[in-house]
Structures are given as C-alpha cells and as structure tokens.
Coordinates of all heavy atoms in Angstrom, one line a residue:
M377 N 25.9 -9.1 -19.2 CA 24.7 -8.4 -18.8 C 25.1 -7.0 -18.3 O 26.2 -6.9 -17.6 CB 23.9 -9.1 -17.7 CG 22.4 -8.9 -17.7 SD 21.6 -9.7 -16.3 CE 21.8 -11.4 -16.7
S378 N 24.4 -6.0 -18.6 CA 24.7 -4.6 -18.1 C 24.6 -4.6 -16.6 O 23.9 -5.4 -16.0 CB 23.8 -3.6 -18.7 OG 22.5 -3.6 -18.1
R379 N 25.2 -3.6 -16.0 CA 25.2 -3.4 -14.6 C 23.7 -3.2 -14.1 O 23.4 -3.8 -13.0 CB 26.0 -2.2 -14.1 CG 27.5 -2.5 -14.1 CD 28.3 -1.3 -13.6 NE 28.0 -0.1 -14.4 CZ 28.0 1.1 -13.9 NH1 28.4 1.3 -12.6 NH2 27.7 2.1 -14.6
L380 N 22.9 -2.5 -14.8 CA 21.6 -2.2 -14.4 C 20.7 -3.5 -14.4 O 20.0 -3.8 -13.5 CB 20.9 -1.1 -15.2 CG 19.5 -0.7 -14.8 CD1 19.5 -0.3 -13.3 CD2 19.0 0.4 -15.6
L381 N 20.9 -4.2 -15.5 CA 20.2 -5.5 -15.6 C 20.6 -6.5 -14.6 O 19.8 -7.2 -14.0 CB 20.4 -6.1 -17.0 CG 19.5 -5.5 -18.1 CD1 19.9 -6.1 -19.5 CD2 18.0 -5.8 -17.9
T382 N 21.9 -6.5 -14.2 CA 22.4 -7.3 -13.2 C 21.8 -7.0 -11.8 O 21.3 -7.8 -11.1 CB 23.9 -7.2 -13.1 OG1 24.5 -7.6 -14.3 CG2 24.5 -8.1 -11.9
A383 N 21.7 -5.7 -11.6 CA 21.1 -5.2 -10.3 C 19.6 -5.6 -10.3 O 19.1 -6.0 -9.2 CB 21.2 -3.7 -10.2
M384 N 18.9 -5.4 -11.4 CA 17.5 -5.7 -11.4 C 17.3 -7.2 -11.2 O 16.3 -7.7 -10.5 CB 16.9 -5.3 -12.8 CG 16.7 -3.8 -12.9 SD 16.8 -3.2 -14.6 CE 15.2 -3.6 -15.2
N385 N 18.1 -8.0 -11.8 CA 18.1 -9.5 -11.7 C 18.3 -9.9 -10.2 O 17.7 -10.8 -9.7 CB 19.1 -10.2 -12.6 CG 18.8 -11.7 -12.7 OD1 17.7 -12.1 -13.0 ND2 19.8 -12.5 -12.5
E386 N 19.2 -9.2 -9.6 CA 19.5 -9.4 -8.2 C 18.3 -9.1 -7.3 O 18.0 -9.9 -6.4 CB 20.7 -8.5 -7.8 CG 21.4 -8.9 -6.5 CD 22.1 -10.3 -6.5 OE1 22.4 -10.8 -7.6 OE2 22.4 -10.8 -5.4
L387 N 17.6 -8.1 -7.6 CA 16.4 -7.7 -6.9 C 15.3 -8.9 -7.0 O 14.7 -9.2 -6.0 CB 15.7 -6.4 -7.4 CG 16.3 -5.1 -7.1 CD1 15.6 -4.0 -7.8 CD2 16.2 -4.9 -5.5
I388 N 15.2 -9.4 -8.2 CA 14.3 -10.5 -8.4 C 14.7 -11.7 -7.6 O 13.9 -12.4 -6.9 CB 14.2 -10.9 -9.9 CG1 13.6 -9.7 -10.7 CG2 13.4 -12.2 -10.1 CD1 13.7 -9.9 -12.2
Q389 N 16.0 -12.0 -7.6 CA 16.5 -13.2 -6.8 C 16.3 -13.0 -5.3 O 16.0 -13.9 -4.6 CB 18.0 -13.4 -7.2 CG 18.2 -13.8 -8.6 CD 17.3 -14.9 -9.1 OE1 17.1 -15.9 -8.4 NE2 16.8 -14.8 -10.3
I390 N 16.6 -11.8 -4.8 CA 16.4 -11.5 -3.4 C 15.0 -11.7 -3.0 O 14.6 -12.3 -2.0 CB 17.0 -10.1 -3.0 CG1 18.5 -10.1 -3.2 CG2 16.5 -9.8 -1.6 CD1 19.1 -8.7 -3.1
F391 N 14.1 -11.2 -3.8 CA 12.6 -11.3 -3.5 C 12.2 -12.8 -3.4 O 11.6 -13.2 -2.5 CB 11.8 -10.5 -4.5 CG 10.3 -10.7 -4.3 CD1 9.7 -9.8 -3.4 CD2 9.5 -11.6 -5.0 CE1 8.3 -9.9 -3.2 CE2 8.2 -11.8 -4.7 CZ 7.6 -10.9 -3.8
K392 N 12.7 -13.5 -4.5 CA 12.3 -15.0 -4.5 C 12.9 -15.7 -3.3 O 12.2 -16.6 -2.8 CB 12.9 -15.6 -5.8 CG 12.1 -15.3 -7.0 CD 12.6 -16.1 -8.2 CE 11.8 -15.9 -9.5 NZ 12.5 -16.4 -10.7
E393 N 14.1 -15.3 -2.9 CA 14.7 -16.1 -1.8 C 13.9 -15.9 -0.5 O 13.7 -16.9 0.2 CB 16.1 -15.5 -1.6 CG 16.9 -16.1 -0.5 CD 18.2 -15.5 -0.2 OE1 18.9 -15.0 -1.2 OE2 18.6 -15.3 1.0
Y394 N 13.5 -14.7 -0.2 CA 12.7 -14.4 1.0 C 11.3 -14.9 0.9 O 10.7 -15.4 1.8 CB 12.8 -13.0 1.4 CG 14.2 -12.7 2.0 CD1 15.2 -12.2 1.1 CD2 14.5 -12.9 3.3 CE1 16.5 -12.0 1.6 CE2 15.8 -12.7 3.8 CZ 16.7 -12.2 3.0 OH 18.0 -12.0 3.4
A395 N 10.6 -14.6 -0.3 CA 9.3 -15.0 -0.5 C 9.1 -16.5 -0.4 O 8.0 -17.0 0.0 CB 8.7 -14.5 -1.9
G396 N 10.1 -17.3 -0.7 CA 10.0 -18.7 -0.7 C 10.2 -19.4 0.6 O 10.1 -20.6 0.7
K397 N 10.4 -18.6 1.7 CA 10.7 -19.2 3.0 C 9.5 -19.8 3.6 O 9.6 -20.8 4.3 CB 11.3 -18.1 3.9 CG 12.7 -17.7 3.6 CD 13.3 -16.7 4.6 CE 14.7 -16.2 4.2 NZ 15.7 -17.3 4.2
E398 N 8.3 -19.2 3.4 CA 7.1 -19.8 4.0 C 5.9 -19.4 3.2 O 5.9 -18.4 2.5 CB 6.9 -19.4 5.5 CG 6.7 -17.9 5.6 CD 6.6 -17.4 7.0 OE1 7.1 -18.0 7.9 OE2 5.9 -16.4 7.3
G399 N 4.9 -20.3 3.2 CA 3.6 -19.9 2.5 C 3.8 -19.7 1.0 O 4.6 -20.4 0.4
D400 N 3.1 -18.7 0.5 CA 3.1 -18.4 -1.0 C 4.4 -17.9 -1.4 O 5.0 -17.0 -0.8 CB 2.0 -17.4 -1.3 CG 1.9 -17.1 -2.7 OD1 2.7 -17.5 -3.5 OD2 0.8 -16.5 -3.1
A401 N 5.1 -18.6 -2.4 CA 6.4 -18.3 -2.8 C 6.5 -17.1 -3.7 O 7.5 -16.6 -4.1 CB 7.1 -19.5 -3.5
K402 N 5.3 -16.5 -4.0 CA 5.2 -15.4 -4.9 C 5.0 -14.1 -4.1 O 5.0 -13.0 -4.7 CB 4.1 -15.5 -6.0 CG 4.5 -16.6 -7.0 CD 3.4 -16.5 -8.2 CE 3.9 -17.3 -9.4 NZ 4.1 -18.6 -9.1
T403 N 4.8 -14.2 -2.8 CA 4.6 -13.0 -2.0 C 5.4 -13.1 -0.7 O 5.7 -14.2 -0.2 CB 3.1 -12.8 -1.6 OG1 2.6 -14.0 -0.9 CG2 2.2 -12.6 -2.9
L404 N 5.6 -12.0 -0.1 CA 6.2 -11.9 1.2 C 5.2 -11.8 2.3 O 4.3 -10.9 2.3 CB 7.1 -10.7 1.4 CG 8.3 -10.6 0.4 CD1 8.9 -9.2 0.4 CD2 9.4 -11.5 0.8
S405 N 5.3 -12.7 3.3 CA 4.4 -12.6 4.5 C 5.1 -11.5 5.5 O 6.2 -11.1 5.2 CB 4.4 -13.9 5.2 OG 5.7 -14.2 5.7
K406 N 4.4 -11.2 6.5 CA 4.9 -10.3 7.5 C 6.2 -10.8 8.1 O 7.2 -10.0 8.2 CB 3.9 -10.0 8.6 CG 4.3 -8.8 9.5 CD 3.3 -8.5 10.5 CE 2.0 -8.0 10.0 NZ 1.0 -7.7 11.1
G407 N 6.3 -12.1 8.4 CA 7.5 -12.6 8.9 C 8.7 -12.6 7.9 O 9.8 -12.3 8.3
E408 N 8.4 -12.8 6.6 CA 9.4 -12.7 5.6 C 9.9 -11.3 5.4 O 11.1 -11.0 5.2 CB 8.9 -13.3 4.3 CG 8.7 -14.8 4.4 CD 7.9 -15.4 3.2 OE1 7.1 -14.6 2.5 OE2 7.9 -16.6 3.0
V409 N 9.0 -10.3 5.5 CA 9.4 -8.9 5.4 C 10.3 -8.6 6.6 O 11.3 -7.9 6.4 CB 8.1 -8.0 5.4 CG1 8.5 -6.5 5.7 CG2 7.3 -8.1 4.1
K410 N 10.0 -9.1 7.8 CA 10.8 -8.8 8.9 C 12.2 -9.3 8.7 O 13.2 -8.6 9.0 CB 10.1 -9.4 10.2 CG 10.8 -9.1 11.5 CD 10.0 -9.5 12.7 CE 10.3 -11.0 13.0 NZ 9.7 -11.4 14.3
T411 N 12.3 -10.6 8.2 CA 13.6 -11.2 8.0 C 14.4 -10.4 6.9 O 15.6 -10.2 7.1 CB 13.4 -12.6 7.5 OG1 12.6 -13.3 8.5 CG2 14.7 -13.3 7.4
L412 N 13.7 -10.0 5.8 CA 14.4 -9.3 4.7 C 14.9 -8.0 5.2 O 16.0 -7.6 4.9 CB 13.4 -9.2 3.6 CG 14.0 -8.6 2.2 CD1 13.1 -9.1 1.1 CD2 14.1 -7.1 2.2
L413 N 14.1 -7.2 5.9 CA 14.5 -5.9 6.5 C 15.7 -6.1 7.3 O 16.7 -5.3 7.3 CB 13.4 -5.3 7.3 CG 12.1 -4.8 6.5 CD1 11.0 -4.3 7.5 CD2 12.5 -3.7 5.5
S414 N 15.7 -7.1 8.1 CA 16.8 -7.4 9.1 C 18.1 -7.7 8.3 O 19.1 -7.1 8.5 CB 16.4 -8.4 10.1 OG 17.5 -8.8 10.8
K415 N 18.0 -8.7 7.5 CA 19.2 -9.3 6.8 C 19.8 -8.4 5.7 O 21.0 -8.4 5.5 CB 19.0 -10.7 6.4 CG 18.7 -11.7 7.5 CD 18.8 -13.1 7.0 CE 18.8 -14.1 8.2 NZ 18.7 -15.5 7.7
E416 N 18.9 -7.8 5.0 CA 19.3 -7.0 3.8 C 19.5 -5.5 4.1 O 20.2 -4.9 3.4 CB 18.3 -7.3 2.6 CG 18.1 -8.7 2.2 CD 19.4 -9.4 1.7 OE1 20.3 -8.6 1.2 OE2 19.5 -10.6 1.8
L417 N 18.8 -5.0 5.1 CA 18.8 -3.5 5.3 C 19.3 -3.2 6.7 O 19.4 -2.0 7.0 CB 17.4 -2.9 5.0 CG 17.0 -3.0 3.5 CD1 15.5 -2.6 3.4 CD2 17.8 -2.1 2.6
G418 N 19.4 -4.2 7.5 CA 19.9 -3.9 8.9 C 18.8 -3.2 9.7 O 19.1 -2.6 10.7
I419 N 17.5 -3.4 9.3 CA 16.4 -2.8 10.1 C 15.9 -3.9 10.9 O 15.2 -4.8 10.4 CB 15.3 -2.2 9.2 CG1 15.9 -1.1 8.3 CG2 14.2 -1.7 9.9 CD1 15.0 -0.6 7.2
N420 N 16.1 -3.8 12.2 CA 15.7 -4.9 13.2 C 14.5 -4.6 13.9 O 14.4 -3.6 14.7 CB 16.8 -5.3 14.1 CG 18.0 -5.9 13.4 OD1 17.8 -7.0 12.8 ND2 19.2 -5.3 13.4
L421 N 13.4 -5.3 13.7 CA 12.1 -5.1 14.3 C 11.7 -6.4 15.1 O 10.6 -6.8 15.0 CB 11.0 -4.8 13.3 CG 11.3 -3.5 12.5 CD1 10.3 -3.3 11.4 CD2 11.3 -2.2 13.4
E422 N 12.7 -6.9 15.8 CA 12.5 -8.2 16.5 C 11.9 -8.0 17.8 O 11.1 -8.9 18.3 CB 13.9 -8.9 16.7 CG 14.6 -9.3 15.4 CD 13.8 -10.5 14.7 OE1 13.1 -11.2 15.4 OE2 14.0 -10.6 13.5
A423 N 12.2 -6.9 18.5 CA 11.7 -6.7 19.9 C 10.2 -6.5 19.9 O 9.6 -6.1 19.0 CB 12.4 -5.5 20.5
A424 N 9.6 -6.9 21.1 CA 8.2 -6.8 21.2 C 7.7 -5.3 21.0 O 6.7 -5.1 20.4 CB 7.8 -7.3 22.6
K425 N 8.5 -4.4 21.5 CA 8.2 -3.0 21.3 C 8.2 -2.5 19.9 O 7.6 -1.5 19.5 CB 9.1 -2.1 22.1 CG 10.6 -2.1 21.7 CD 11.4 -1.1 22.5 CE 12.9 -1.2 22.1 NZ 13.2 -0.9 20.8
D426 N 8.8 -3.3 19.0 CA 8.9 -2.9 17.6 C 7.7 -3.5 16.8 O 7.6 -3.3 15.6 CB 10.2 -3.5 16.9 CG 11.4 -2.8 17.5 OD1 11.3 -1.6 17.9 OD2 12.4 -3.4 17.6
K427 N 6.8 -4.3 17.5 CA 5.7 -4.9 16.7 C 4.8 -3.9 16.1 O 4.4 -4.1 14.9 CB 4.9 -5.8 17.7 CG 3.9 -6.6 17.0 CD 3.1 -7.5 18.0 CE 2.1 -8.3 17.2 NZ 1.2 -7.6 16.4
A428 N 4.5 -2.8 16.7 CA 3.7 -1.8 16.1 C 4.4 -1.2 14.8 O 3.7 -0.9 13.9 CB 3.3 -0.7 17.1
A429 N 5.7 -1.0 15.0 CA 6.4 -0.4 13.8 C 6.4 -1.4 12.6 O 6.3 -1.0 11.5 CB 7.9 -0.1 14.2
L430 N 6.6 -2.7 12.9 CA 6.6 -3.7 11.9 C 5.2 -3.7 11.3 O 5.0 -3.8 10.0 CB 6.9 -5.1 12.5 CG 6.8 -6.2 11.4 CD1 7.8 -6.1 10.3 CD2 7.0 -7.6 12.1
D431 N 4.1 -3.7 12.1 CA 2.7 -3.7 11.6 C 2.5 -2.5 10.7 O 1.9 -2.7 9.6 CB 1.7 -3.7 12.8 CG 1.7 -5.1 13.5 OD1 2.3 -6.0 13.0 OD2 1.1 -5.1 14.6
K432 N 3.0 -1.4 11.1 CA 2.8 -0.2 10.3 C 3.5 -0.3 9.0 O 3.0 0.1 7.9 CB 3.2 1.1 11.1 CG 2.8 2.4 10.3 CD 3.3 3.6 11.0 CE 2.8 4.8 10.2 NZ 3.1 4.8 8.8
M433 N 4.8 -0.7 9.0 CA 5.6 -0.8 7.8 C 4.9 -1.8 6.8 O 4.8 -1.6 5.6 CB 7.0 -1.2 8.1 CG 7.9 -1.3 7.0 SD 9.6 -1.5 7.4 CE 10.2 0.2 7.4
F434 N 4.5 -2.9 7.4 CA 3.9 -4.0 6.5 C 2.6 -3.4 5.9 O 2.4 -3.6 4.7 CB 3.6 -5.2 7.4 CG 3.1 -6.4 6.5 CD1 4.1 -7.2 5.9 CD2 1.8 -6.7 6.3 CE1 3.7 -8.2 5.1 CE2 1.4 -7.7 5.5 CZ 2.4 -8.5 4.9
K435 N 1.8 -2.7 6.7 CA 0.6 -2.1 6.1 C 0.8 -1.1 5.0 O 0.2 -1.0 4.0 CB -0.2 -1.5 7.3 CG -1.7 -1.3 7.1 CD -2.4 -0.8 8.3 CE -3.7 -0.1 7.9 NZ -4.2 0.8 8.9
D436 N 1.9 -0.3 5.3 CA 2.3 0.7 4.2 C 2.8 0.0 3.0 O 2.5 0.5 1.9 CB 3.4 1.6 4.8 CG 2.9 2.5 5.9 OD1 1.7 2.7 6.0 OD2 3.7 3.1 6.6
L437 N 3.5 -1.1 3.1 CA 4.0 -1.8 2.0 C 2.9 -2.5 1.2 O 2.9 -2.6 0.0 CB 5.1 -2.9 2.4 CG 6.4 -2.4 2.9 CD1 7.2 -3.6 3.4 CD2 7.2 -1.7 1.8
D438 N 2.0 -3.0 1.9 CA 0.9 -3.8 1.3 C -0.2 -2.8 0.7 O -1.3 -2.7 1.2 CB 0.3 -4.7 2.4 CG -0.9 -5.6 1.9 OD1 -1.0 -5.7 0.6 OD2 -1.6 -6.1 2.7
A439 N 0.2 -2.3 -0.4 CA -0.6 -1.2 -1.0 C -2.0 -1.6 -1.4 O -2.9 -0.9 -1.2 CB 0.1 -0.7 -2.3
N440 N -2.2 -2.9 -1.8 CA -3.5 -3.3 -2.2 C -4.2 -4.0 -1.0 O -5.3 -4.6 -1.2 CB -3.5 -4.2 -3.5 CG -2.8 -5.5 -3.3 OD1 -2.2 -5.8 -2.2 ND2 -2.7 -6.3 -4.3
A441 N -3.6 -4.0 0.2 CA -4.2 -4.5 1.4 C -4.7 -5.9 1.3 O -5.8 -6.3 1.8 CB -5.3 -3.6 1.9
D442 N -3.9 -6.8 0.6 CA -4.3 -8.2 0.6 C -3.6 -9.1 1.6 O -3.7 -10.3 1.6 CB -4.2 -8.8 -0.9 CG -2.7 -8.9 -1.3 OD1 -1.8 -8.4 -0.5 OD2 -2.4 -9.4 -2.3
G443 N -2.9 -8.5 2.5 CA -2.2 -9.2 3.5 C -0.9 -9.8 3.2 O -0.3 -10.5 4.0
T444 N -0.4 -9.5 2.0 CA 0.9 -10.0 1.6 C 1.6 -8.9 0.8 O 0.9 -7.9 0.3 CB 0.9 -11.2 0.7 OG1 0.2 -10.9 -0.5 CG2 0.2 -12.4 1.4
V445 N 2.9 -9.0 0.7 CA 3.7 -8.0 -0.1 C 4.2 -8.7 -1.4 O 5.0 -9.6 -1.4 CB 4.9 -7.4 0.7 CG1 5.8 -6.6 -0.2 CG2 4.3 -6.6 1.8
D446 N 3.6 -8.3 -2.6 CA 4.1 -8.9 -3.8 C 5.3 -8.2 -4.4 O 5.8 -7.2 -3.8 CB 2.9 -8.9 -4.8 CG 2.4 -7.6 -5.2 OD1 3.1 -6.6 -5.0 OD2 1.2 -7.5 -5.5
F447 N 5.8 -8.6 -5.5 CA 7.0 -8.1 -6.1 C 6.9 -6.6 -6.4 O 7.8 -5.8 -6.1 CB 7.5 -8.8 -7.3 CG 8.8 -8.4 -7.8 CD1 9.9 -8.7 -7.1 CD2 8.9 -7.7 -9.0 CE1 11.2 -8.3 -7.5 CE2 10.2 -7.2 -9.4 CZ 11.3 -7.6 -8.7
T448 N 5.8 -6.2 -6.9 CA 5.5 -4.7 -7.2 C 5.6 -3.9 -6.0 O 6.2 -2.8 -5.9 CB 4.2 -4.5 -7.9 OG1 4.2 -5.3 -9.1 CG2 4.0 -3.1 -8.3
E449 N 5.0 -4.4 -4.9 CA 5.0 -3.7 -3.6 C 6.4 -3.6 -3.0 O 6.8 -2.6 -2.5 CB 4.0 -4.3 -2.7 CG 2.5 -4.1 -3.1 CD 1.5 -5.0 -2.4 OE1 1.9 -6.0 -1.9 OE2 0.4 -4.6 -2.5
F450 N 7.2 -4.7 -3.2 CA 8.5 -4.8 -2.8 C 9.4 -3.8 -3.5 O 10.2 -3.1 -2.8 CB 9.1 -6.2 -2.9 CG 10.6 -6.4 -2.8 CD1 11.2 -6.2 -1.6 CD2 11.3 -6.7 -3.9 CE1 12.5 -6.4 -1.5 CE2 12.7 -6.8 -3.8 CZ 13.3 -6.7 -2.6
I451 N 9.3 -3.7 -4.8 CA 10.2 -2.8 -5.5 C 9.8 -1.3 -5.3 O 10.7 -0.5 -5.4 CB 10.3 -3.1 -7.0 CG1 9.0 -3.1 -7.7 CG2 11.1 -4.4 -7.2 CD1 9.1 -3.2 -9.2
T452 N 8.6 -1.1 -4.9 CA 8.2 0.3 -4.5 C 9.0 0.7 -3.2 O 9.6 1.8 -3.1 CB 6.7 0.3 -4.1 OG1 6.0 0.0 -5.3 CG2 6.3 1.8 -3.8
L453 N 9.2 -0.2 -2.3 CA 10.0 0.0 -1.1 C 11.5 0.3 -1.5 O 12.1 1.2 -1.1 CB 9.9 -1.2 -0.1 CG 11.0 -1.2 1.0 CD1 10.7 -0.1 2.0 CD2 11.1 -2.6 1.6
V454 N 12.0 -0.6 -2.4 CA 13.4 -0.5 -2.8 C 13.6 0.8 -3.5 O 14.6 1.5 -3.3 CB 13.8 -1.7 -3.8 CG1 15.1 -1.5 -4.4 CG2 13.7 -3.0 -3.0
A455 N 12.7 1.2 -4.4 CA 12.8 2.5 -5.1 C 12.8 3.7 -4.1 O 13.6 4.6 -4.2 CB 11.6 2.7 -6.1
A456 N 12.0 3.6 -3.1 CA 11.9 4.7 -2.1 C 13.2 4.8 -1.3 O 13.7 5.9 -1.1 CB 10.7 4.4 -1.1
I457 N 13.7 3.6 -0.9 CA 15.0 3.6 -0.1 C 16.1 4.1 -1.0 O 17.0 4.8 -0.6 CB 15.3 2.2 0.5 CG1 14.2 2.0 1.5 CG2 16.7 2.2 1.1 CD1 14.3 0.5 2.1
T458 N 16.1 3.7 -2.3 CA 17.2 4.0 -3.2 C 17.2 5.6 -3.4 O 18.3 6.2 -3.4 CB 17.0 3.4 -4.6 OG1 16.9 2.0 -4.4 CG2 18.2 3.7 -5.5
A459 N 16.0 6.2 -3.5 CA 15.9 7.6 -3.6 C 16.5 8.3 -2.4 O 17.2 9.4 -2.6 CB 14.4 8.0 -3.9
I460 N 16.2 7.8 -1.2 CA 16.8 8.4 0.0 C 18.3 8.3 0.0 O 19.0 9.2 0.3 CB 16.2 7.7 1.2 CG1 14.7 8.0 1.3 CG2 16.9 8.1 2.5 CD1 14.0 7.1 2.4
L461 N 18.8 7.1 -0.4 CA 20.3 6.9 -0.5 C 21.0 7.8 -1.4 O 22.0 8.4 -1.2 CB 20.6 5.4 -0.9 CG 20.3 4.4 0.2 CD1 20.5 3.0 -0.4 CD2 21.1 4.6 1.5
Q462 N 20.3 8.0 -2.6 CA 20.8 8.9 -3.6 C 20.9 10.3 -3.2 O 21.8 11.1 -3.6 CB 20.0 8.7 -4.9 CG 20.6 9.3 -6.2 CD 20.3 10.8 -6.3 OE1 19.3 11.3 -5.8 NE2 21.1 11.5 -7.1
G463 N 19.9 10.7 -2.4 CA 19.9 12.1 -2.0 C 20.8 12.4 -0.8 O 20.9 13.6 -0.4
S464 N 21.4 11.4 -0.2 CA 22.2 11.7 1.0 C 23.6 11.9 0.7 O 24.0 11.7 -0.4 CB 22.0 10.5 2.0 OG 22.5 9.3 1.5
Ligands
LIG477 CA1 -0.3 -6.8 -1.3

C-alpha cells in the first residue's frame, strides 16, 4: 500500500478506535473527542477551567450541530491541523 493510502487507513482506524469507546461507534462524543485530543495530539482539556474550551472546540467540530462528531467532521479537523503543521 502506498504511504498516502497507509496514512488514510490509519486515520480511519484511529477514528474507529476512539468512536468505539462509548455510545454510537460511528461518531465521537464530547468525551471521546477529549480523549482523542489528549492522547493523539497532546491537547489536554481535563481541568475544569478547560470545560469552556472543550465545549467550543466540540461545537466548532460538530459542523452539522447534531451533537456528535462524525468521520467527515473529524477529518476536517485533521486537515486543518495538517495545514498548520505544513506551514510551520
Ligand atoms: Ca456532527
């Protein structure tokens, strides 16, 4: 498999791993987003003072405002962060 396909497959596997932790296995809940941000990106929003930041980030990610983050919404985040990394 090409490197790009390998990377894309990895994104799918990571999404499935976190989405499957609780509730609907096809979407990320707020708690799953928090865990994914922490473990995969080192963004820790555990403290009580970070609750507003987590709420805002989740709301921004949840483009169709259905209360969950689906795979399309997840890869939008990944694409945005990748663009930032590439530019630095
Ligand atoms: Ca959504």
Side-chain angles (χ1 to χ4, degrees):
M377 210 186 294
S378 76
R379 284 185 302 153
L380 184 56
L381 281 172
T382 301
M384 288 153 75
N385 195 49
E386 194 69 17
L387 282 177
I388 294 169
Q389 295 310 316
I390 290 168
F391 178 83
K392 281 185 179 170
E393 179 185 324
Y394 287 89
K397 288 185 185 294
E398 61 180 29
D400 187 345
K402 288 190 167 58
T403 60
L404 295 165
S405 66
K406 194 180 289 181
E408 288 166 342
V409 166
K410 187 170 81 171
T411 306
L412 190 154
L413 289 174
S414 171
K415 292 196 173 172
E416 302 296 333
L417 294 169
I419 299 171
N420 291 300
L421 300 171
E422 295 291 337
K425 65 177 172 61
D426 296 328
K427 190 179 179 304
L430 176 64
D431 286 349
K432 186 184 185 308
M433 183 171 262
F434 190 81
K435 204 176 158 197
D436 290 346
L437 288 174
D438 182 15
N440 66 357
D442 67 352
T444 63
V445 170
D446 60 26
F447 186 70
T448 303
E449 292 164 341
F450 167 69
I451 57 171
T452 302
L453 168 72
V454 172
I457 293 173
T458 305
I460 292 168
L461 290 176
Q462 191 273 336
S464 63

